[in-house]
Amino acid sequence: MADTTYSTDTLVSSDTLDDLRVSPAAHLAETMAEASAAGGRQVALRELPFSVQLGLRAQPDSASGRALEDTFGLELPRRVGEVTGDSAGLHILWLSPDEFLAVDVSRQQQPGETLVAEAGLEGLPGQAVDFSANRTILQLSGSKAREVLEKSCRADLHPRAFGVGTAIVTSLGPVPVILHHSSVLEYRVYPRASFADFTVRWLLDGMAEFLDGAEAAGAEEGSG
């Protein structure tokens, strides 16, 4: 099996890169933190900025598929909703029969992420593209996280249909997203970077009834 260390050294230092970066939802970080504090164990929202996201194209069980599996040290998913690997680190999401998204939430993207995969695919049909700037990842967690999503997601999110370790392409309100049920009380929402602001505000609105003081505020409005 090939070396699974797929990041590479570059002429640009990580410190320099980090200083220049602004994540798609950075301007709402404080708002998300305040809502999460008010949500307690019921619901919390945060961005996982700059996580590694690599778009992969190859047919599983082909030479190209095996080359990518050797590079990442993981099998490519074979069916709708399947995710292989560790949701707390490197994992691969199924998007279509020959399209996958490799994600690593344990570290931040650096230049040259695809070089090892590209070398493994040399002379073979297939593709590895750095999509880390294409989408951001929003992590919604807590006992009411599923209820927040169910307000506007068209998919069946009951655990019998959307269990832990499942990821699908769906919509949240009007926004197309990838949705990953990453752990028992945790979901990851992948909107396009250009829709990050809208998606965060949409989720915050869905969280409102579960935040501390929401019931009291509602009672005051009703008695007015």
Side-chain angles (χ1 to χ4, degrees):
M1 181 174 289
D3 184 359
T4 58
T5 304
Y6 55 92
S7 61
T8 59
D9 293 331
T10 68
L11 296 177
V12 181
S13 73
S14 59
D15 288 342
T16 300
L17 186 63
D18 290 342
D19 289 343
L20 297 174
R21 283 174 161 173
V22 179
S23 68
H27 61 296
L28 293 172
E30 185 175 346
T31 304
M32 286 188 281
E34 291 173 354
S36 298
R41 296 184 178 181
Q42 292 196 101
V43 66
L45 179 65
R46 68 186 181 110
E47 184 182 24
L48 303 180
F50 315 124
S51 296
V52 177
Q53 299 180 62
L54 307 180
L56 310 176
R57 297 298 297 263
Q59 289 286 347
D61 302 315
S62 68
S64 302
R66 288 189 290 273
L68 290 175
E69 290 177 335
D70 286 345
T71 296
F72 293 98
L74 296 173
E75 289 188 354
L76 295 176
R78 262 45 176 197
R79 63 181 185 276
V80 177
E82 184 179 6
V83 179
T84 59
D86 179 7
S87 64
L90 175 63
H91 49 286
I92 302 177
L93 285 63
W94 189 100
L95 298 182
S96 78
D98 67 346
E99 184 179 7
F100 312 91
L101 186 67
V103 180
D104 192 341
V105 296
S106 69
R107 64 185 186 84
Q108 295 190 346
Q109 179 264 357
Q110 299 297 328
E113 292 286 354
T114 62
L115 293 180
V116 175
E118 289 171 355
L121 286 171
E122 186 173 0
L124 298 171
Q127 190 176 56
V129 179
D130 191 340
F131 282 164
S132 302
N134 187 42
R135 299 177 185 269
T136 194
I137 304 177
L138 304 174
Q139 185 165 287
L140 184 71
S141 59
S143 61
K144 300 297 184 181
R146 176 161 66 95
E147 292 185 40
V148 172
L149 294 172
E150 285 176 331
K151 293 180 179 184
S152 57
C153 183
R154 302 170 186 176
D156 181 359
L157 302 185
H158 191 280
R160 65 173 172 263
F162 191 61
V164 174
T166 304
I168 58 173
V169 178
T170 184
S171 296
L172 197 63
V175 179
V177 298
I178 298 170
L179 182 61
H180 179 199
H181 191 176
S182 48
S183 67
V184 176
L185 299 178
E186 180 183 282
Y187 299 83
R188 293 179 186 149
V189 182
Y190 293 65
R192 301 277 184 190
S194 57
F195 286 105
D197 179 278
F198 183 93
T199 306
V200 169
R201 295 182 191 279
W202 187 274
L203 289 170
L204 289 170
D205 185 65
M207 292 166 55
E209 69 171 293
F210 304 118
L211 306 184
D212 289 345
E215 292 183 3
E220 289 178 3
E221 290 178 3
S223 63

